[in-house]
Amino acid sequence: ELMTTKKLLKDIVACAEEKKAEDILALDVSKTTTLSKYFVICSASNSIQVKSITENIRDNVKEDVWRIEGYEHLNWVIIDYIDVVVHIFLDDIRKYYNLERIWFDAKKVEI
């Protein structure tokens, strides 16, 4: 049975928080793209933490992952659940790509 998208979003954020992810942001991108309904963006201070956040989400969110990208480099990992896409960044990489600026018109979601 598929979990609701809001529950999926909440579970992802909880798993990220458990591993001390920083500046967690959930964006409703449903009106700006057909790629997904929500983006979750968070930061980590080092690659070990990126790995830890990624694994905690992957291992504890009870939804099938469609794909994971960037796991071999651990500077920007994308976990794609179709309706929710998670971006886990090293601090500097997040600042460089600045997804918040690109998706500035997306509504922030309070979790």
Side-chain angles (χ1 to χ4, degrees):
E1 153 213 338
L2 291 172
M3 66 170 71
T4 68
T5 305
K6 284 282 194 189
K7 168 113 173 67
L8 174 60
L9 195 59
K10 227 172 121 172
D11 290 354
I12 288 167
V13 169
C15 285
E17 283 174 339
E18 250 174 47
K19 294 300 176 182
K20 309 283 188 262
E22 298 149 25
D23 297 325
I24 302 170
L25 178 64
L27 295 175
D28 179 342
V29 294
S30 62
K31 291 181 177 48
T32 43
T33 182
T34 54
L35 294 174
S36 187
K37 291 182 180 153
Y38 298 99
F39 280 1
V40 173
I41 303 170
C42 64
S43 304
S45 47
N46 58 58
S47 58
I48 293 162
Q49 189 184 15
V50 170
K51 184 175 196 275
S52 168
I53 295 165
T54 301
E55 289 175 353
N56 201 44
I57 293 170
R58 187 197 62 207
D59 296 346
N60 294 296
V61 171
K62 302 296 179 228
E63 181 73 46
D64 290 335
V65 174
W66 183 60
R67 70 196 290 179
I68 294 181
E69 299 214 0
Y71 190 74
E72 59 284 350
H73 302 297
L74 296 174
N75 56 20
W76 177 4
V77 176
I78 297 169
I79 308 173
D80 192 339
Y81 289 97
I82 312 264
D83 285 343
V84 180
V85 178
V86 188
H87 299 266
I88 305 158
F89 284 102
L90 278 179
D91 289 328
D92 292 348
I93 305 294
R94 180 173 179 175
K95 285 183 192 102
Y96 180 80
Y97 285 101
N98 197 353
L99 291 190
E100 294 92 325
R101 184 180 48 79
I102 296 167
W103 299 100
F104 71 93
D105 49 352
K107 202 174 97 206
K108 287 188 173 82
V109 180
E110 293 302 318
I111 306 293

Short mmCIF file of all heavy atoms in Angstrom, two decimals, residues 14-67:
data_model
loop_
_atom_site.label_atom_id
_atom_site.label_comp_id
_atom_site.label_asym_id
_atom_site.label_seq_id
_atom_site.Cartn_x
_atom_site.Cartn_y
_atom_site.Cartn_z
N ALA A 14 11.86 13.57 9.19
CA ALA A 14 12.20 12.99 10.50
C ALA A 14 13.52 12.22 10.43
O ALA A 14 14.37 12.35 11.32
CB ALA A 14 11.08 12.08 10.99
N CYS A 15 13.71 11.45 9.37
CA CYS A 15 14.96 10.69 9.20
C CYS A 15 16.16 11.61 9.00
O CYS A 15 17.25 11.35 9.51
CB CYS A 15 14.84 9.73 8.02
SG CYS A 15 13.83 8.29 8.36
N ALA A 16 15.96 12.69 8.28
CA ALA A 16 17.04 13.67 8.07
C ALA A 16 17.39 14.34 9.40
O ALA A 16 18.56 14.49 9.74
CB ALA A 16 16.63 14.70 7.02
N GLU A 17 16.35 14.71 10.16
CA GLU A 17 16.58 15.36 11.46
C GLU A 17 17.32 14.43 12.42
O GLU A 17 18.19 14.88 13.17
CB GLU A 17 15.24 15.76 12.10
CG GLU A 17 14.65 17.01 11.48
CD GLU A 17 13.24 17.34 11.99
OE1 GLU A 17 12.55 16.43 12.51
OE2 GLU A 17 12.84 18.50 11.84
N GLU A 18 16.98 13.15 12.38
CA GLU A 18 17.63 12.16 13.24
C GLU A 18 19.14 12.15 13.06
O GLU A 18 19.88 11.89 14.00
CB GLU A 18 17.12 10.76 12.88
CG GLU A 18 16.26 10.12 13.90
CD GLU A 18 15.68 8.80 13.38
OE1 GLU A 18 16.43 7.97 12.82
OE2 GLU A 18 14.46 8.61 13.55
N LYS A 19 19.59 12.40 11.85
CA LYS A 19 21.03 12.39 11.56
C LYS A 19 21.59 13.81 11.49
O LYS A 19 22.62 14.07 10.87
CB LYS A 19 21.30 11.63 10.25
CG LYS A 19 20.96 10.15 10.35
CD LYS A 19 21.79 9.48 11.42
CE LYS A 19 21.41 8.03 11.62
NZ LYS A 19 22.16 7.39 12.69
N LYS A 20 20.88 14.73 12.13
CA LYS A 20 21.34 16.12 12.30
C LYS A 20 21.55 16.88 10.98
O LYS A 20 22.46 17.70 10.85
CB LYS A 20 22.64 16.17 13.12
CG LYS A 20 22.59 15.41 14.44
CD LYS A 20 21.83 16.18 15.49
CE LYS A 20 21.92 15.53 16.86
NZ LYS A 20 20.77 14.70 17.20
N ALA A 21 20.70 16.61 10.00
CA ALA A 21 20.75 17.39 8.75
C ALA A 21 20.47 18.85 9.10
O ALA A 21 19.70 19.15 10.01
CB ALA A 21 19.71 16.88 7.77
N GLU A 22 21.10 19.75 8.37
CA GLU A 22 20.96 21.18 8.64
C GLU A 22 20.08 21.85 7.59
O GLU A 22 20.00 21.40 6.45
CB GLU A 22 22.34 21.83 8.67
CG GLU A 22 23.24 21.26 9.78
CD GLU A 22 24.72 21.29 9.40
OE1 GLU A 22 25.12 22.11 8.56
OE2 GLU A 22 25.45 20.45 9.96
N ASP A 23 19.45 22.95 8.00
CA ASP A 23 18.64 23.79 7.08
C ASP A 23 17.71 22.95 6.21
O ASP A 23 17.72 23.05 4.99
CB ASP A 23 19.55 24.63 6.17
CG ASP A 23 20.40 25.60 6.97
OD1 ASP A 23 19.90 26.11 8.00
OD2 ASP A 23 21.55 25.84 6.58
N ILE A 24 16.89 22.13 6.86
CA ILE A 24 15.96 21.28 6.12
C ILE A 24 14.83 22.14 5.58
O ILE A 24 14.22 22.91 6.31
CB ILE A 24 15.39 20.16 7.01
CG1 ILE A 24 16.53 19.30 7.58
CG2 ILE A 24 14.39 19.30 6.22
CD1 ILE A 24 16.09 18.32 8.66
N LEU A 25 14.59 22.00 4.29
CA LEU A 25 13.57 22.80 3.62
C LEU A 25 12.71 21.87 2.78
O LEU A 25 13.23 21.04 2.03
CB LEU A 25 14.28 23.83 2.72
CG LEU A 25 13.44 24.76 1.88
CD1 LEU A 25 12.60 25.69 2.76
CD2 LEU A 25 14.34 25.59 0.98
N ALA A 26 11.40 21.99 2.92
CA ALA A 26 10.48 21.23 2.08
C ALA A 26 9.75 22.23 1.19
O ALA A 26 9.22 23.22 1.68
CB ALA A 26 9.50 20.45 2.95
N LEU A 27 9.77 21.96 -0.11
CA LEU A 27 9.14 22.87 -1.07
C LEU A 27 8.05 22.14 -1.84
O LEU A 27 8.26 21.01 -2.30
CB LEU A 27 10.18 23.38 -2.07
CG LEU A 27 11.31 24.25 -1.55
CD1 LEU A 27 12.30 24.55 -2.67
CD2 LEU A 27 10.78 25.55 -0.96
N ASP A 28 6.93 22.80 -2.00
CA ASP A 28 5.86 22.27 -2.85
C ASP A 28 6.14 22.78 -4.26
O ASP A 28 5.97 23.95 -4.56
CB ASP A 28 4.50 22.80 -2.35
CG ASP A 28 3.34 22.31 -3.19
OD1 ASP A 28 3.56 21.85 -4.33
OD2 ASP A 28 2.20 22.42 -2.72
N VAL A 29 6.61 21.87 -5.11
CA VAL A 29 6.97 22.25 -6.48
C VAL A 29 5.92 21.79 -7.49
O VAL A 29 6.12 21.88 -8.70
CB VAL A 29 8.37 21.69 -6.87
CG1 VAL A 29 9.46 22.34 -6.04
CG2 VAL A 29 8.42 20.18 -6.76
N SER A 30 4.78 21.34 -6.99
CA SER A 30 3.75 20.75 -7.86
C SER A 30 3.20 21.73 -8.89
O SER A 30 2.75 21.32 -9.95
CB SER A 30 2.61 20.18 -7.01
OG SER A 30 1.99 21.21 -6.27
N LYS A 31 3.23 23.02 -8.58
CA LYS A 31 2.69 24.01 -9.53
C LYS A 31 3.76 24.52 -10.50
O LYS A 31 3.43 25.18 -11.47
CB LYS A 31 2.07 25.18 -8.77
CG LYS A 31 0.79 24.78 -8.04
CD LYS A 31 0.17 25.96 -7.31
CE LYS A 31 -1.15 25.60 -6.65
NZ LYS A 31 -1.14 24.37 -5.86
N THR A 32 5.02 24.19 -10.23
CA THR A 32 6.10 24.70 -11.08
C THR A 32 6.77 23.64 -11.93
O THR A 32 7.53 23.97 -12.84
CB THR A 32 7.17 25.43 -10.23
OG1 THR A 32 7.43 24.67 -9.06
CG2 THR A 32 6.72 26.81 -9.82
N THR A 33 6.53 22.37 -11.62
CA THR A 33 7.14 21.30 -12.41
C THR A 33 6.27 20.05 -12.38
O THR A 33 5.48 19.87 -11.46
CB THR A 33 8.56 20.94 -11.88
OG1 THR A 33 9.12 19.94 -12.71
CG2 THR A 33 8.52 20.46 -10.45
N THR A 34 6.43 19.23 -13.39
CA THR A 34 5.73 17.94 -13.40
C THR A 34 6.64 16.83 -12.88
O THR A 34 6.24 15.68 -12.80
CB THR A 34 5.26 17.58 -14.83
OG1 THR A 34 6.40 17.62 -15.70
CG2 THR A 34 4.22 18.55 -15.32
N LEU A 35 7.88 17.18 -12.53
CA LEU A 35 8.86 16.20 -12.06
C LEU A 35 8.45 15.55 -10.75
O LEU A 35 8.69 14.37 -10.54
CB LEU A 35 10.22 16.88 -11.82
CG LEU A 35 10.96 17.43 -13.03
CD1 LEU A 35 12.19 18.19 -12.59
CD2 LEU A 35 11.33 16.30 -13.97
N SER A 36 7.86 16.33 -9.86
CA SER A 36 7.59 15.85 -8.52
C SER A 36 6.58 16.78 -7.85
O SER A 36 6.29 17.85 -8.36
CB SER A 36 8.90 15.86 -7.73
OG SER A 36 8.70 15.26 -6.48
N LYS A 37 6.08 16.34 -6.70
CA LYS A 37 5.19 17.21 -5.92
C LYS A 37 5.98 18.03 -4.91
O LYS A 37 5.67 19.19 -4.66
CB LYS A 37 4.13 16.37 -5.21
CG LYS A 37 3.13 15.76 -6.17
CD LYS A 37 2.06 14.97 -5.44
CE LYS A 37 1.10 14.39 -6.46
NZ LYS A 37 0.46 13.17 -6.00
N TYR A 38 6.98 17.39 -4.30
CA TYR A 38 7.76 18.07 -3.26
C TYR A 38 9.25 17.82 -3.44
O TYR A 38 9.65 16.75 -3.88
CB TYR A 38 7.37 17.57 -1.86
CG TYR A 38 5.94 17.84 -1.50
CD1 TYR A 38 4.98 16.84 -1.63
CD2 TYR A 38 5.54 19.08 -1.01
CE1 TYR A 38 3.66 17.08 -1.30
CE2 TYR A 38 4.22 19.33 -0.69
CZ TYR A 38 3.28 18.32 -0.84
OH TYR A 38 1.97 18.56 -0.52
N PHE A 39 10.03 18.82 -3.05
CA PHE A 39 11.48 18.66 -2.92
C PHE A 39 11.79 18.82 -1.44
O PHE A 39 11.22 19.70 -0.78
CB PHE A 39 12.25 19.76 -3.66
CG PHE A 39 12.38 19.56 -5.14
CD1 PHE A 39 11.84 18.46 -5.79
CD2 PHE A 39 13.07 20.49 -5.89
CE1 PHE A 39 11.98 18.30 -7.16
CE2 PHE A 39 13.21 20.33 -7.27
CZ PHE A 39 12.67 19.24 -7.90
N VAL A 40 12.68 17.99 -0.93
CA VAL A 40 13.24 18.21 0.40
C VAL A 40 14.71 18.49 0.16
O VAL A 40 15.39 17.74 -0.54
CB VAL A 40 13.07 16.97 1.31
CG1 VAL A 40 13.82 17.19 2.63
CG2 VAL A 40 11.60 16.69 1.57
N ILE A 41 15.19 19.60 0.72
CA ILE A 41 16.58 20.01 0.55
C ILE A 41 17.18 20.11 1.95
O ILE A 41 16.58 20.70 2.85
CB ILE A 41 16.68 21.38 -0.16
CG1 ILE A 41 15.97 21.33 -1.52
CG2 ILE A 41 18.13 21.81 -0.31
CD1 ILE A 41 15.79 22.69 -2.18
N CYS A 42 18.37 19.52 2.13
CA CYS A 42 19.04 19.65 3.41
C CYS A 42 20.54 19.63 3.21
O CYS A 42 21.03 19.28 2.14
CB CYS A 42 18.59 18.57 4.39
SG CYS A 42 19.01 16.88 3.91
N SER A 43 21.25 20.01 4.26
CA SER A 43 22.71 20.10 4.19
C SER A 43 23.37 19.23 5.24
O SER A 43 22.78 18.92 6.28
CB SER A 43 23.16 21.54 4.47
OG SER A 43 22.56 22.43 3.59
N ALA A 44 24.63 18.90 4.96
CA ALA A 44 25.48 18.17 5.89
C ALA A 44 26.86 18.82 5.86
O ALA A 44 27.25 19.40 4.84
CB ALA A 44 25.57 16.71 5.47
N SER A 45 27.58 18.72 6.98
CA SER A 45 28.88 19.39 7.03
C SER A 45 30.02 18.57 6.45
O SER A 45 31.08 19.11 6.15
CB SER A 45 29.19 19.84 8.46
OG SER A 45 28.94 18.79 9.36
N ASN A 46 29.80 17.27 6.26
CA ASN A 46 30.86 16.44 5.66
C ASN A 46 30.23 15.23 4.96
O ASN A 46 29.05 14.95 5.14
CB ASN A 46 31.89 16.01 6.71
CG ASN A 46 31.24 15.25 7.85
OD1 ASN A 46 30.60 14.22 7.63
ND2 ASN A 46 31.37 15.77 9.06
N SER A 47 31.06 14.53 4.17
CA SER A 47 30.54 13.42 3.37
C SER A 47 30.06 12.24 4.22
O SER A 47 29.14 11.52 3.83
CB SER A 47 31.57 12.96 2.34
OG SER A 47 32.75 12.57 2.98
N ILE A 48 30.64 12.07 5.40
CA ILE A 48 30.19 11.00 6.29
C ILE A 48 28.75 11.27 6.73
O ILE A 48 27.92 10.36 6.77
CB ILE A 48 31.13 10.87 7.52
CG1 ILE A 48 32.50 10.37 7.05
CG2 ILE A 48 30.54 9.95 8.58
CD1 ILE A 48 33.62 10.60 8.02
N GLN A 49 28.45 12.52 7.00
CA GLN A 49 27.09 12.88 7.40
C GLN A 49 26.13 12.76 6.22
O GLN A 49 24.99 12.31 6.38
CB GLN A 49 27.06 14.30 7.98
CG GLN A 49 25.71 14.64 8.60
CD GLN A 49 25.62 16.06 9.10
OE1 GLN A 49 26.45 16.91 8.77
NE2 GLN A 49 24.59 16.33 9.89
N VAL A 50 26.56 13.13 5.02
CA VAL A 50 25.73 12.95 3.82
C VAL A 50 25.35 11.48 3.70
O VAL A 50 24.18 11.13 3.49
CB VAL A 50 26.46 13.43 2.53
CG1 VAL A 50 25.67 13.02 1.29
CG2 VAL A 50 26.68 14.94 2.54
N LYS A 51 26.33 10.60 3.86
CA LYS A 51 26.11 9.16 3.77
C LYS A 51 25.14 8.69 4.85
O LYS A 51 24.20 7.93 4.58
CB LYS A 51 27.46 8.44 3.90
CG LYS A 51 27.42 6.94 3.73
CD LYS A 51 28.86 6.40 3.78
CE LYS A 51 28.96 5.00 3.25
NZ LYS A 51 28.68 3.97 4.24
N SER A 52 25.33 9.17 6.04
CA SER A 52 24.50 8.79 7.18
C SER A 52 23.03 9.22 6.98
O SER A 52 22.11 8.44 7.24
CB SER A 52 25.11 9.43 8.44
OG SER A 52 24.25 9.34 9.51
N ILE A 53 22.82 10.44 6.53
CA ILE A 53 21.47 10.94 6.26
C ILE A 53 20.83 10.11 5.15
O ILE A 53 19.68 9.66 5.27
CB ILE A 53 21.50 12.44 5.87
CG1 ILE A 53 21.97 13.30 7.04
CG2 ILE A 53 20.11 12.90 5.40
CD1 ILE A 53 22.38 14.72 6.64
N THR A 54 21.58 9.89 4.07
CA THR A 54 21.08 9.12 2.93
C THR A 54 20.65 7.71 3.37
O THR A 54 19.55 7.27 3.06
CB THR A 54 22.17 9.00 1.84
OG1 THR A 54 22.54 10.31 1.41
CG2 THR A 54 21.67 8.20 0.63
N GLU A 55 21.52 7.05 4.10
CA GLU A 55 21.23 5.68 4.53
C GLU A 55 20.07 5.62 5.50
O GLU A 55 19.26 4.70 5.46
CB GLU A 55 22.48 5.03 5.12
CG GLU A 55 23.50 4.74 4.04
CD GLU A 55 24.82 4.20 4.57
OE1 GLU A 55 25.03 4.16 5.81
OE2 GLU A 55 25.66 3.83 3.72
N ASN A 56 19.95 6.62 6.38
CA ASN A 56 18.86 6.63 7.34
C ASN A 56 17.51 6.78 6.63
O ASN A 56 16.54 6.11 6.97
CB ASN A 56 19.05 7.73 8.38
CG ASN A 56 18.26 7.46 9.64
OD1 ASN A 56 18.23 6.35 10.16
ND2 ASN A 56 17.59 8.48 10.15
N ILE A 57 17.48 7.64 5.62
CA ILE A 57 16.24 7.81 4.85
C ILE A 57 15.95 6.53 4.06
O ILE A 57 14.86 5.98 4.14
CB ILE A 57 16.35 9.03 3.92
CG1 ILE A 57 16.40 10.33 4.74
CG2 ILE A 57 15.17 9.06 2.92
CD1 ILE A 57 16.75 11.57 3.93
N ARG A 58 16.95 6.06 3.34
CA ARG A 58 16.77 4.86 2.51
C ARG A 58 16.33 3.65 3.32
O ARG A 58 15.46 2.89 2.90
CB ARG A 58 18.07 4.57 1.76
CG ARG A 58 17.95 3.43 0.74
CD ARG A 58 19.30 2.91 0.33
NE ARG A 58 19.99 2.35 1.49
CZ ARG A 58 21.30 2.28 1.62
NH1 ARG A 58 22.08 2.73 0.66
NH2 ARG A 58 21.85 1.77 2.70
N ASP A 59 16.92 3.47 4.50
CA ASP A 59 16.65 2.28 5.30
C ASP A 59 15.37 2.36 6.13
O ASP A 59 14.84 1.33 6.53
CB ASP A 59 17.83 1.99 6.23
CG ASP A 59 19.11 1.65 5.45
OD1 ASP A 59 19.02 1.39 4.23
OD2 ASP A 59 20.19 1.69 6.07
N ASN A 60 14.89 3.56 6.43
CA ASN A 60 13.76 3.69 7.35
C ASN A 60 12.47 4.23 6.76
O ASN A 60 11.43 4.12 7.39
CB ASN A 60 14.17 4.54 8.55
CG ASN A 60 15.23 3.82 9.37
OD1 ASN A 60 14.97 2.77 9.93
ND2 ASN A 60 16.43 4.36 9.38
N VAL A 61 12.54 4.80 5.57
CA VAL A 61 11.31 5.27 4.93
C VAL A 61 10.71 4.07 4.20
O VAL A 61 11.35 3.45 3.37
CB VAL A 61 11.60 6.45 3.97
CG1 VAL A 61 10.37 6.78 3.14
CG2 VAL A 61 12.06 7.67 4.76
N LYS A 62 9.48 3.75 4.57
CA LYS A 62 8.84 2.53 4.05
C LYS A 62 8.16 2.78 2.71
O LYS A 62 6.97 2.57 2.55
CB LYS A 62 7.82 1.99 5.07
CG LYS A 62 8.42 1.69 6.42
CD LYS A 62 9.45 0.58 6.34
CE LYS A 62 10.07 0.29 7.68
NZ LYS A 62 11.51 0.21 7.64
N GLU A 63 8.91 3.25 1.78
CA GLU A 63 8.40 3.51 0.43
C GLU A 63 9.51 3.08 -0.52
O GLU A 63 10.69 3.20 -0.20
CB GLU A 63 8.10 5.00 0.30
CG GLU A 63 7.54 5.43 -1.05
CD GLU A 63 6.09 4.99 -1.26
OE1 GLU A 63 5.27 5.16 -0.36
OE2 GLU A 63 5.82 4.47 -2.36
N ASP A 64 9.16 2.58 -1.69
CA ASP A 64 10.18 2.16 -2.64
C ASP A 64 10.87 3.38 -3.25
O ASP A 64 10.21 4.31 -3.70
CB ASP A 64 9.56 1.32 -3.76
CG ASP A 64 9.13 -0.05 -3.25
OD1 ASP A 64 9.69 -0.51 -2.24
OD2 ASP A 64 8.22 -0.65 -3.86
N VAL A 65 12.19 3.33 -3.26
CA VAL A 65 12.99 4.38 -3.90
C VAL A 65 12.98 4.10 -5.39
O VAL A 65 13.24 2.97 -5.82
CB VAL A 65 14.44 4.36 -3.37
CG1 VAL A 65 15.31 5.34 -4.14
CG2 VAL A 65 14.47 4.65 -1.89
N TRP A 66 12.71 5.11 -6.20
CA TRP A 66 12.76 4.94 -7.64
C TRP A 66 14.21 4.92 -8.10
O TRP A 66 14.64 4.06 -8.85
CB TRP A 66 11.95 6.04 -8.35
CG TRP A 66 11.93 5.87 -9.83
CD1 TRP A 66 11.43 4.79 -10.52
CD2 TRP A 66 12.42 6.77 -10.82
NE1 TRP A 66 11.59 4.98 -11.87
CE2 TRP A 66 12.20 6.19 -12.08
CE3 TRP A 66 13.03 8.02 -10.74
CZ2 TRP A 66 12.56 6.82 -13.26
CZ3 TRP A 66 13.38 8.65 -11.92
CH2 TRP A 66 13.14 8.04 -13.17
N ARG A 67 15.00 5.88 -7.60
CA ARG A 67 16.44 5.86 -7.89
C ARG A 67 17.20 6.76 -6.92
O ARG A 67 16.65 7.68 -6.35
CB ARG A 67 16.72 6.25 -9.34
CG ARG A 67 16.45 7.71 -9.66
CD ARG A 67 16.35 7.98 -11.12
NE ARG A 67 17.63 7.86 -11.80
CZ ARG A 67 17.79 8.02 -13.10
NH1 ARG A 67 16.76 8.31 -13.85
NH2 ARG A 67 18.97 7.91 -13.65
#
